[in-house]
Amino acid sequence: MMRKNRLVAPVVKWVGGKRQLIEDLAPLFPRRVSPYCEPFLGGGAVLFRLQPSTAYVNDINAELIQMYETIRDEVEALIAALGEHPNEEEHFYRVRDWDRDKERYNALDRVQKAARTLYLNKTCYNGLFRVNRSGEFNTPFGRYKNPNIVNAPTLRAVSAYLRRARIAFSSVDYAEVLARVQRGTFVYLDPPYDPVSDTANFTGYAKGGFDRSEQIRLRECCDELNRRGVRFMLSNSATPFIREQYAAYSIATVQANRAINSNASRRGQVDEVVIRNYE
């Protein structure tokens, strides 16, 4: 493990992100977490807390992964590009609509695309990265007075960590990542959660979805990790379905603060489970 930098922290707000829960998770991590693998990277709160020297990180959202690679390789150009985006509703919708013209969007360089991703995340409603069935960003303007669009100290710290460590990025199906994991690696899994109600389902961070057949497929992947002697930790909703799926493993309950919900009365603390195949 390398010496940790306290400035290394998530640069985006993400549905189900672990920033607020990290202190509850920290005692449950094994002592050795490098090499580290995270197939559902999202906001990266766990990666940035652990700061392993070797990591394999993945997310099905290719735009998100490209953003991290751009932070690693071209952080100063990215900071400059972010500074060109004002917190204005008309500008927000103009930038949001860039991906409606595929030819124009594909012609953008990766700094412009990464700046767009960060800008929309900072200024859209509730920081919610959501796309429609065509893969187009469709969250409305957030109307925040002073969003931190250009968080230069954090961007530079994250960039330095990603360049210093051996971090391999990918944007493929999680099962492909898990099939390559070697014994001795610690795997943290933070998939789209099993919905606690019919109206609580959210899988809009990428085209497609993550239904219960996917939850079962993921549990089967975890069973295979366990057979190979690979340590894993998984977070999910504390639903009877998830508890039944992982009944063979150690299950701890933690309380998470849910900040993203269209109904404000449903935000607040809810139970989540942390599943491990080690003590």
Side-chain angles (χ1 to χ4, degrees):
M1 296 294 292
M2 302 179 301
R3 186 173 181 178
K4 296 179 183 178
N5 181 348
R6 292 179 180 271
L7 289 176
V8 176
V11 298
V12 291
K13 186 175 182 179
W14 210 251
V15 173
K18 294 298 175 287
R19 191 190 310 229
Q20 303 301 323
L21 197 58
I22 196 69
E23 297 303 326
D24 295 295
L25 296 179
L28 302 176
F29 294 128
R31 290 186 177 181
R32 179 176 173 81
V33 294
S34 186
Y36 174 76
C37 176
E38 188 167 354
F40 304 93
L41 181 59
V46 173
L47 172 70
F48 297 142
R49 170 60 179 263
L50 297 176
Q51 296 178 38
S53 57
T54 301
Y56 312 91
V57 294
N58 176 81
D59 199 280
I60 198 64
N61 189 316
E63 186 175 333
L64 180 71
I65 292 299
Q66 185 177 68
M67 181 201 74
Y68 285 121
E69 292 176 328
T70 305
I71 292 171
R72 178 193 63 195
D73 300 333
E74 301 181 77
V75 68
E76 294 304 326
L78 177 59
I79 289 170
L82 279 169
E84 298 175 0
H85 290 294
N87 181 37
E88 298 173 356
E89 185 171 3
E90 183 178 349
H91 180 77
F92 172 88
Y93 284 110
R94 186 161 57 247
V95 172
R96 195 189 75 164
D97 287 351
W98 284 359
D99 61 6
R100 272 62 173 173
D101 184 338
K102 302 303 180 187
E103 184 175 349
R104 176 186 175 186
Y105 181 75
N106 290 335
L108 298 174
D109 63 37
R110 68 175 189 167
V111 170
Q112 292 171 313
K113 291 178 180 178
R116 174 182 181 268
T117 300
L118 281 164
Y119 167 69
L120 293 179
N121 181 266
K122 297 292 186 179
T123 56
C124 73
Y125 177 74
N126 239 344
L128 183 64
F129 191 108
R130 185 186 65 196
V131 297
N132 58 26
R133 293 181 182 274
S134 298
E136 299 165 345
F137 193 94
N138 68 351
T139 310
F141 185 58
R143 302 183 185 278
Y144 301 116
K145 289 185 178 180
N146 295 299
N148 191 8
I149 297 172
V150 188
N151 189 348
T154 297
L155 287 169
R156 290 187 176 116
V158 169
S159 177
Y161 164 64
L162 295 178
R163 283 183 281 109
R164 187 172 71 251
R166 296 185 297 274
I167 310 291
F169 288 100
S170 63
S171 182
V172 297
D173 181 77
Y174 66 86
E176 185 176 334
V177 177
L178 295 177
R180 298 195 299 261
V181 170
Q182 299 295 313
R183 186 167 184 168
T185 302
F186 171 59
V187 179
Y188 176 65
L189 301 131
D190 189 25
Y193 278 16
D194 184 48
V196 297
S197 69
D198 291 340
T199 59
N201 196 13
F202 176 79
T203 56
Y205 66 97
K207 289 189 293 183
F210 206 92
D211 59 17
R212 284 195 165 176
S213 67
E214 282 297 316
Q215 297 287 357
I216 293 170
R217 184 165 74 101
L218 177 57
R219 191 264 304 153
E220 291 171 345
C221 287
C222 289
D223 290 343
E224 178 59 25
L225 289 177
N226 190 57
R227 281 192 289 270
R228 301 199 325 254
V230 176
R231 295 167 304 166
F232 73 82
M233 176 191 287
L234 179 143
S235 297
N236 213 316
S237 302
T239 62
F241 172 77
I242 293 298
R243 290 182 181 277
E244 180 182 357
Q245 287 296 311
Y246 293 93
Y249 301 105
S250 172
I251 300 178
T253 302
V254 295
Q255 282 203 319
N257 186 40
R258 291 278 177 84
I260 295 179
N261 195 301
S262 59
N263 185 339
S265 66
R266 294 182 181 175
R267 299 173 196 162
Q269 290 196 325
V270 295
D271 285 346
E272 294 187 4
V273 291
V274 179
I275 297 150
R276 297 175 293 161
N277 68 337
Y278 62 91
E279 294 297 332

